Amino acid sequence: MVVSTRIKTIGDFIAKGDAVVDVGADHGLFELYLIAKHQNITITAIENKIGPYKILENNLKGLKNIKLSLSDGIASVNKETKTVVIAGMGGINIKNILNAHPDKVKGLQKIVIDAHRDIDIARRTIVNYGFRIVCEKIVFEQNKFYVVSEFKRSEKVHNYSENSLQIGHQLYKDELWPKYRDYLIETNNKTIEKIKDLDNMQDKVLKLMKMNERLRKYGKN
Ligand SMILES: C[S@@+](CC[C@H](N)C(=O)[O-])C[C@H]1O[C@@H](n2cnc3c(N)ncnc32)[C@H](O)[C@@H]1O
């Protein structure tokens, strides 16, 4: 089985004895990788859409120590669950999944995420639940960058800097940091250009609206 570097990296944050709940399991590629890596691991794969869920069922059928759940976010997570993986979705979705069941988040010890956008929103949400950022890793695959983050429950309150929350926790130590930084700057510049264009569009719209007013009155006064 060819496994993506991103999936492998998420798997690196899971220890042999962890009982893992994977939220947003899609077709179960992470489950297949983890089962091959740690034969005795227990994993619950949660998916909230029937299409991917049917493929998940098919891909994982007959495998030991795997439970499947067609349910939303962490709604079906039980009190024994200590480790949750939420990968391959946006930070706002991750925030909504956690905030939908704060009581269940309070019972967790470890959260591993791979937020594909708005990572800062996911980081802030998890830290506000009393977790510390243990480690973050940059992955470059098929011309795209990903950041995988591990959080663990902490007794101490950690006051993270804006750099840690917005950009990344000690990501400057990652060997891929210089490339990732350039990619972020370039992406931000593209967004800035688009917003500037929108400003121009507003000017153009205003000009055309004014012209229409003039056209309606033209020759009448
Ligand atoms: C892009 S896939 C990522 C699959 C896999 N986790 C990975 O990282 O490769 C995201 C999956 O999360 C599922 N998903 C999104 N929101 C969810 C939610 N609230 N509860 C359960 N699954 C969700 C989607 O249906 C989709 O199958």
Side-chain angles (χ1 to χ4, degrees):
M1 182 174 77
V2 183
V3 184
S4 83
T5 312
R6 184 182 65 85
I7 296 269
K8 273 188 191 158
T9 307
I10 301 168
D12 287 344
F13 287 101
I14 304 301
K16 225 188 198 161
D18 283 349
V20 189
V21 169
D22 178 29
V23 179
D26 199 20
H27 296 174
L29 298 184
F30 178 61
E31 283 66 15
L32 289 172
Y33 170 68
L34 217 54
I35 285 277
K37 191 177 174 202
H38 306 295
Q39 275 83 9
N40 290 324
I41 203 152
T42 305
I43 178 156
T44 304
I46 296 177
E47 175 53 54
N48 72 345
K49 293 177 195 73
I50 188 70
Y53 183 79
K54 286 196 164 156
I55 299 171
L56 180 72
E57 255 184 338
N58 197 45
N59 285 350
L60 304 183
K61 73 172 172 243
L63 289 174
K64 274 199 314 177
N65 300 338
I66 291 207
K67 284 186 214 144
L68 303 186
S69 173
L70 178 62
S71 56
D72 192 66
I74 53 171
S76 61
V77 159
N78 60 26
K79 277 190 189 148
E80 284 70 50
T81 302
K82 298 292 170 231
T83 303
V84 162
V85 172
I86 315 179
M89 58 183 87
I92 295 175
N93 202 13
I94 294 176
K95 172 184 164 181
N96 292 340
I97 285 172
L98 297 174
N99 284 351
H101 299 278
D103 50 321
K104 301 203 174 190
V105 180
K106 283 176 194 148
L108 299 176
Q109 291 298 326
K110 178 165 150 180
I111 303 178
V112 177
I113 64 161
D114 156 35
H116 285 186
R117 68 200 85 82
D118 302 313
I119 313 178
D120 57 318
I121 293 176
R123 271 193 206 102
R124 285 177 212 277
T125 305
I126 297 171
V127 163
N128 284 340
Y129 274 107
F131 286 80
R132 70 187 168 92
I133 310 170
V134 180
C135 180
E136 296 201 304
K137 183 98 192 77
I138 303 168
V139 177
F140 183 68
E141 186 167 68
Q142 292 188 337
N143 251 1
K144 282 189 187 149
F145 284 95
Y146 303 94
V147 174
V148 180
S149 318
E150 181 192 23
F151 301 82
K152 278 190 180 162
R153 181 157 298 286
S154 170
E155 296 303 315
K156 266 192 354 196
V157 174
H158 290 264
N159 291 315
Y160 288 102
S161 66
E162 194 53 27
N163 275 351
S164 281
L165 293 171
Q166 196 181 16
I167 300 172
H169 185 60
Q170 301 185 348
L171 275 186
Y172 56 85
K173 291 182 181 168
D174 195 294
E175 58 183 1
L176 284 175
W177 169 249
K179 288 198 172 115
Y180 180 59
R181 180 200 51 210
D182 291 351
Y183 156 82
L184 287 181
I185 292 173
E186 200 188 312
T187 310
N188 286 346
N189 277 338
K190 281 185 190 156
T191 309
I192 291 166
E193 286 311 310
K194 271 193 204 150
I195 294 168
K196 273 191 193 158
D197 258 11
L198 279 181
D199 268 0
N200 289 340
M201 287 303 288
Q202 274 181 345
D203 287 348
K204 279 181 196 154
V205 168
L206 279 179
K207 196 175 160 189
L208 290 175
M209 283 167 73
K210 278 189 185 154
M211 187 179 171
N212 276 353
E213 271 174 40
R214 283 176 191 284
L215 283 169
R216 284 189 199 100
K217 292 180 192 159
Y218 188 70
K220 290 182 188 166
N221 49 13

